[in-house]
């Protein structure tokens, strides 16, 4: 089964603080400026429109391809990625939202927010804001001048955590989630049913003071569950296509 893609100053710091910080709660709030996994496209677009003006939107569709043994066939295209960009006096900000494939409902599985900071805070300042937003990080470490922090959903399996020092947080075409989780099952840190995996958030703070911020949020359980359903769905279509081809077969006149 293969995927085939098609293309369809201080004020800045205050805005960042408002977007990140909320009153402390008993449970971490797993969202990015109000965007949450499980949202529909319309719900996500409404949040982004309220976030700030001037957004540019690109959509990317995807299909699955399979073979009936003779010819290559494709499923109907579905919304795979929504890329929203803001670029004005406040600075550049990019959001990428990834959606569940069919036959599941089209809902957000994960997202990435990347921004350049015009009035860069220190890592300590921004780290404190992130801790207020998401709680104490599950893991934290530095790579050169970049501080990486990760949060796991309380009470859920941390399927993204290979070892205490190794984390893989991401969503998108570069990540084969099912194969990754199968390797995790073999190592014992992913449960037999990966749909029970929890959400994970990750932040990368580049430089000190921080000039670049990237935040990711992924629902690992929904990601695994919907992609397994998609794999099964495509395999069923492949088998049906093979049967249809065989039923139309005819021997030539000899």
């Amino acid at each position: 089964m293969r995927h085939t893609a098609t293309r369809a100053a201080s004020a800045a710091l205050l805005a960042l603080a408002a977007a990140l910080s909320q009153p402390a709660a008993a449970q971490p709030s797993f969202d990015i400026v109000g965007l949450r996994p499980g949202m529909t496209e319309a719900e996500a677009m409404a949040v982004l429109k309220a976030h700030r003006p001037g957004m540019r939107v690109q959509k990317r569709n995807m299909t699955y391809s399979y073979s009936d043994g003779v010819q290559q066939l494709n499923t109907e295209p579905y919304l795979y990625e929504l890329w929203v960009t803001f670029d004005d006096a406040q600075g550049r900000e990019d959001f990428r939202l990834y959606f569940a494939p069919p036959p599941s409902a089209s809902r957000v599985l994960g997202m990435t927010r990347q921004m350049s900071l015009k009035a860069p805070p220190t890592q300590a300042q921004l780290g404190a804001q992130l801790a207020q937003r998401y709680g104490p990080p599950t893991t934290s470490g530095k790579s050169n001048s970049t501080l990486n922090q990760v949060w796991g959903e309380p009470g859920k399996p941390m399927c993204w955590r290979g070892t205490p020092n190794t984390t893989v947080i991401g969503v998108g075409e570069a990540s084969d989630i099912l194969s990754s989780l199968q390797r995790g099952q073999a190592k014992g840190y992913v449960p037999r049913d990966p749909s029970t995996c929890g959400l994970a958030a990750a932040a990368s703070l580049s430089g000190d003071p921080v000039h670049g911020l990237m935040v990711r949020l992924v629902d690992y359980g929904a990601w695994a569950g919907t992609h397994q359903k998609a794999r099964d769905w495509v395999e069923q279509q492949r088998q049906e296509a093979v049967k249809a081809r065989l039923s139309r077969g005819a021997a030539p006149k000899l």
Side-chain angles (χ1 to χ4, degrees):
M1 180 178 72
R2 295 190 300 107
H3 268 120
T4 303
T6 61
R7 283 288 181 193
S10 58
L13 180 54
L14 288 173
L16 174 65
L20 287 173
S21 61
Q22 287 187 348
Q27 190 131 328
S29 177
F30 280 86
D31 68 87
I32 297 176
V33 301
L35 293 167
R36 299 175 183 274
M39 282 185 164
T40 64
E41 178 189 357
E43 291 169 337
M45 289 297 294
V47 170
L48 289 166
K49 286 178 181 177
H51 173 57
R52 61 186 274 195
M55 67 178 176
R56 301 194 306 272
V57 181
Q58 297 180 57
K59 293 184 181 182
R60 186 180 182 195
N61 292 332
M62 196 79 82
T63 63
Y64 287 107
S65 63
Y66 57 95
S67 173
D68 67 357
V70 172
Q71 61 180 337
Q72 199 73 9
L73 303 169
N74 295 310
T75 64
E76 290 295 319
Y78 68 93
L79 176 61
Y80 170 72
E81 179 185 16
L82 193 63
W83 184 2
V84 175
T85 301
F86 302 89
D87 195 2
D88 54 26
Q90 295 183 47
R92 184 180 175 96
E93 187 175 14
D94 290 290
F95 290 86
R96 294 196 179 203
L97 282 69
Y98 298 93
F99 289 80
S104 301
S106 180
R107 293 184 178 273
V108 176
L109 296 177
M111 65 199 73
T112 297
R113 179 194 190 193
Q114 189 167 8
M115 58 191 305
S116 56
L117 307 180
K118 288 290 186 73
T122 65
Q123 285 188 354
Q125 288 173 320
L126 188 49
Q129 291 172 1
L130 288 163
Q132 186 177 15
R133 188 75 164 100
Y134 299 119
T138 307
T139 66
S140 182
K142 269 198 171 185
S143 176
N144 298 319
S145 62
T146 299
L147 175 63
N148 298 299
Q149 297 182 318
V150 184
W151 295 263
E153 184 179 5
K156 293 287 188 75
M158 295 186 295
C159 302
W160 46 268
R161 186 178 183 179
T163 71
N165 298 318
T166 303
T167 60
V168 180
I169 303 296
V171 64
E173 65 195 88
S175 303
D176 181 352
I177 184 60
L178 296 177
S179 296
S180 176
L181 292 179
Q182 286 171 356
R183 291 191 295 270
Q185 288 171 331
K187 294 179 180 179
Y189 67 86
V190 173
R192 183 168 184 170
D193 180 4
S195 67
T196 63
C197 296
L199 280 75
S204 295
L205 289 63
S206 300
D208 196 3
V210 182
H211 292 273
L213 172 66
M214 178 180 285
V215 183
R216 295 185 177 94
L217 176 57
V218 182
D219 185 340
Y220 273 77
W223 189 10
T226 57
H227 278 246
Q228 183 60 59
K229 287 180 181 177
R231 178 178 288 184
D232 296 341
W233 175 68
V234 174
E235 173 59 19
Q236 181 180 4
Q237 292 201 54
R238 186 196 68 80
Q239 292 179 12
E240 290 173 353
V242 170
K243 289 179 182 178
R245 176 182 63 80
L246 293 175
S247 69
R248 295 191 301 267
K253 183 178 180 180
L254 301 174

